[in-house]
Amino acid sequence: MKIGFDNAEYLRRQSEKILERIQGFSKLYLEFGGKLFDDYHAARVLPGFEMNGKVRLLQTLKDKTEIIFCINASDIERNKIRADLGITYDLDLLRLIDSLRSLSLTVSSIVITQFTDQPAAAVFANKLKMRGEKVYLHRPT
């Protein structure tokens, strides 16, 4: 198979650009789209892309980062399933938190977005709090 994506170059350039951007702010927020772990789709369409490349990027910056997860309350309420793993989004979030912390990455808080008192989302928020997580509820205005 021909390599079409240089993962080492990606990590070098992304880290460099992120560090440049950090210099201009007291705090910089970055949004990561797609999957942090096991990004089979990206690896399939970009030969050479490392499935866990985003996590490796975060590891190179771990002394300067904290991770904030956002999860939609309606996805929790509907028991939305992550198709590739066959688990619900809320269970996947717990898995991600544990996986990232096992790599010494800081997960500082979880935001449950579009919260309008959905019962399952409220239960999940309490479950997170019982685990010692900082949880914020985003209520649409």
Side-chain angles (χ1 to χ4, degrees), residues 12-141:
R12 186 189 66 74
R13 284 188 181 195
Q14 285 286 61
S15 297
E16 182 180 288
K17 291 297 180 185
I18 290 169
L19 290 171
E20 278 178 25
R21 295 283 299 180
I22 288 171
Q23 298 305 314
F25 300 93
S26 60
K27 189 172 269 197
L28 176 67
Y29 292 90
L30 299 172
E31 179 181 355
F32 281 79
K35 296 171 178 69
L36 289 176
F37 288 99
D38 307 323
D39 194 342
Y40 293 102
H41 173 73
R44 188 174 58 252
V45 299
L46 295 168
F49 182 84
E50 185 182 316
M51 291 187 307
N52 297 323
K54 293 173 188 169
V55 171
R56 286 199 45 220
L57 175 62
L58 287 171
Q59 285 180 292
T60 67
L61 302 167
K62 73 178 170 184
D63 295 336
K64 296 178 175 21
T65 63
E66 64 182 62
I67 298 164
I68 301 169
F69 277 106
C70 297
I71 184 169
N72 188 288
S74 296
D75 291 342
I76 299 167
E77 194 66 26
R78 289 189 327 238
N79 283 320
K80 188 170 180 180
I81 302 284
R82 184 173 155 174
D84 59 340
L85 297 177
I87 61 173
T88 58
Y89 276 31
D90 55 341
L91 291 179
D92 187 40
L93 179 61
L94 295 173
R95 180 187 72 88
L96 285 170
I97 291 168
D98 293 341
S99 296
L100 291 169
R101 286 192 176 139
S102 76
L103 298 171
S104 301
L105 291 164
T106 302
V107 177
S108 62
S109 58
I110 296 94
V111 180
I112 298 178
T113 64
Q114 303 295 308
F115 183 77
T116 55
D117 298 312
Q118 295 95 327
V123 167
F124 185 60
N126 287 331
K127 182 177 186 174
L128 289 167
K129 289 175 187 174
M130 289 176 61
R131 283 179 40 134
E133 306 293 348
K134 285 186 190 173
V135 178
Y136 298 93
L137 303 176
H138 166 260
R139 293 179 183 272
T141 53

